[in-house]
Amino acid sequence: MTAAAEALAARIRQTGPMTVAEFMAECLMNPVWGYYATRDPLGAQGDFTTAPEISQMFGELLGLALAQVWLDRGSPASVRLVELGPGRGTLMADLLRATRIVPGFHDALTLHLVETSPALRARQSETVTHPFTHHAALEDVPDGPLYLIANEFFDALPIRQFLREGSVWRERVVGLEDGRLVFGLAGPTEPSDLAPRLADTHHGDLVEQNPTATAIAAEIGARIARYGGVALIVDYGDWHSLGDTLQALRGHRAVPPLETPGEADLTAHVDFEALARAASRAKATPLTPQGTFLESLGIAARAEALAKNLSGPALASHKAAFHRLTSPDEMGTLFKVMALYQPNTPLPPGFSA
Ligand code: SAH
């Protein structure tokens, strides 16, 4: 048993089985052995890779989309540019480079990176050269018009899982059997926020809830409704959640979630409907496949422009990156984009009604 599994087992012996959310939060952010807290897991050598690590075009296009909204709103003089879970800081560096050409945008913004991992905070401080402030949570970011990006952030937040039995629910928990971590079920409950799910589920179905994600979405919605701005949320998931989507990735391969706590990335699909509902003081765009979104922002033209200066292996890898971001058999349809924006303002770029 690893030290992390020992620590989890000791805690379960003391206080009983833990919820999947508690398990996920410990595995990802335990200060001593948590997956994100202690390492930079991204890139080809890491456990998984993300769109901004695949190509600079991703951060460039998202940045120009944000700047376009800022221009459309009459270039407000003081806005908050915020990224949730910036990883290595690559997306933000690409975004800032691409938006240098937008007159006044950089002068108008203060930059805020919301990040809890000490290891990744250090990495971001190396990558992002524009002055910024680190925060532990969005609520610590000062008020004002909000221009926000979150790529593969919401999938890392801890989910709770509930199994339906008849008309009651039993929460999925992590306990111990013969000294090993195993999934189990807690006693029946009838949480009021799950009552609506009785309409679209049956006996034996499992539903997921992400209380941290919906609280953050509510905060985003409230700020945008009050001060204006836009939030671009990119992640894998769907409109409406059903079934067990907890997954662990290690060395680019799926592993059983309880097997190597602290050493594998743990994620769950994002329920965009739940985010939109929580953020309902703002308007949500239609949920749009990443490929469609990037294409309507002009990724093909940008890819061609970049290709002009490339040859040999660099050109081949650039073409592969373009394919990976946009193609339906790669990230193009699995990943989705949803924007939150101020009611009574035009749809942000990249979306159609
Ligand atoms: N957006 C980056 C990284 C995605 S990985 C990219 O696309 O490459 C998830 C990121 O969210 C990491 O930076 C991780 O440390 C951060 N994170 C996870 N849970 C968090 C939380 N509760 N608060 C703030 N950041 C968190």
Side-chain angles (χ1 to χ4, degrees):
M1 228 185 199
T2 62
E6 272 310 342
L8 290 167
R11 177 169 156 180
I12 292 168
R13 269 184 222 109
Q14 255 178 10
T15 56
M18 58 177 85
T19 64
V20 171
E22 288 167 325
F23 173 76
M24 218 174 144
E26 275 297 292
C27 287
L28 295 180
M29 287 297 176
N30 180 287
V32 181
W33 51 265
Y35 181 74
Y36 283 116
T38 56
R39 76 190 77 199
D40 167 9
L42 289 146
Q45 269 74 54
D47 290 305
F48 63 101
T49 193
T50 58
E53 300 300 327
I54 291 169
S55 168
Q56 67 184 73
M57 296 186 289
F58 188 77
E60 291 172 349
L61 292 168
L62 266 60
L64 291 169
L66 284 194
Q68 186 62 53
V69 175
W70 178 77
L71 287 168
D72 291 345
R73 303 295 175 273
S75 312
S78 170
V79 303
R80 316 280 164 240
L81 176 59
V82 178
E83 185 171 0
L84 305 179
R88 290 180 167 175
T90 310
L91 192 164
M92 188 48 71
D94 293 336
L95 179 160
L96 289 166
R97 193 185 57 256
T99 54
R100 267 201 310 243
I101 57 162
V102 180
F105 186 54
H106 283 202
D107 295 332
L109 63 86
T110 58
L111 179 57
H112 305 271
L113 304 185
V114 177
E115 176 61 67
T116 42
S117 157
L120 289 170
R121 278 189 176 200
R123 190 76 204 240
Q124 291 151 19
S125 297
E126 290 167 15
T127 317
V128 180
T129 51
H130 193 94
F132 72 88
T133 317
H134 269 135
H135 304 273
L138 175 60
E139 54 201 49
D140 301 334
V141 173
D143 281 345
L146 183 66
Y147 289 76
L148 180 141
I149 298 256
N151 184 59
E152 289 211 46
F153 167 74
F154 283 99
D155 68 53
L157 300 177
I159 51 151
R160 296 177 71 177
Q161 296 185 318
F162 295 88
L163 187 78
R164 178 167 169 185
E165 273 184 9
S167 59
V168 299
W169 301 92
R170 295 181 65 189
E171 182 156 14
R172 202 172 182 215
V173 292
V174 178
L176 278 178
E177 203 175 88
D178 304 327
R180 295 185 44 207
L181 297 172
V182 290
F183 283 116
L185 290 172
T189 54
E190 288 176 74
S192 58
D193 51 351
L194 278 182
R197 297 301 309 258
L198 290 174
D200 74 312
T201 56
H202 301 102
H203 172 82
D205 282 345
L206 186 144
V207 299
E208 297 180 336
Q209 280 191 330
N210 195 329
T212 316
T214 46
I216 294 170
E219 173 81 19
I220 295 173
R223 285 185 185 225
I224 288 177
R226 180 151 182 209
Y227 303 105
V230 62
L232 285 178
I233 300 170
V234 189
D235 227 308
Y236 52 135
D238 242 310
W239 192 257
H240 209 67
S241 89
L242 186 61
D244 174 16
T245 72
L246 182 68
Q247 73 166 24
L249 267 191
R250 192 177 183 196
H252 298 264
R253 299 243 296 271
V255 294
L258 301 185
E259 199 152 275
T260 49
E263 285 162 46
D265 185 32
L266 281 181
T267 61
H269 281 196
V270 172
D271 179 350
F272 283 94
E273 181 186 32
L275 296 187
R277 196 171 281 163
S280 65
R281 291 178 63 192
K283 260 185 101 163
T285 62
L287 189 61
T288 303
Q290 173 173 299
T292 311
F293 175 72
L294 294 175
E295 271 151 23
S296 83
L297 291 179
I299 193 170
R302 181 65 185 135
E304 245 173 69
L306 285 170
K308 288 210 174 85
N309 303 315
L310 298 171
S311 60
L315 180 61
S317 96
H318 169 65
K319 284 184 174 163
F322 172 74
H323 182 76
R324 201 149 167 212
L325 290 182
T326 56
S327 169
D329 51 303
E330 301 257 8
M331 301 171 82
T333 48
L334 176 64
F335 280 77
K336 311 279 196 308
V337 192
M338 182 176 82
L340 299 168
Y341 63 109
Q342 205 172 23
N344 306 314
T345 63
L347 206 60
F351 299 92
S352 38

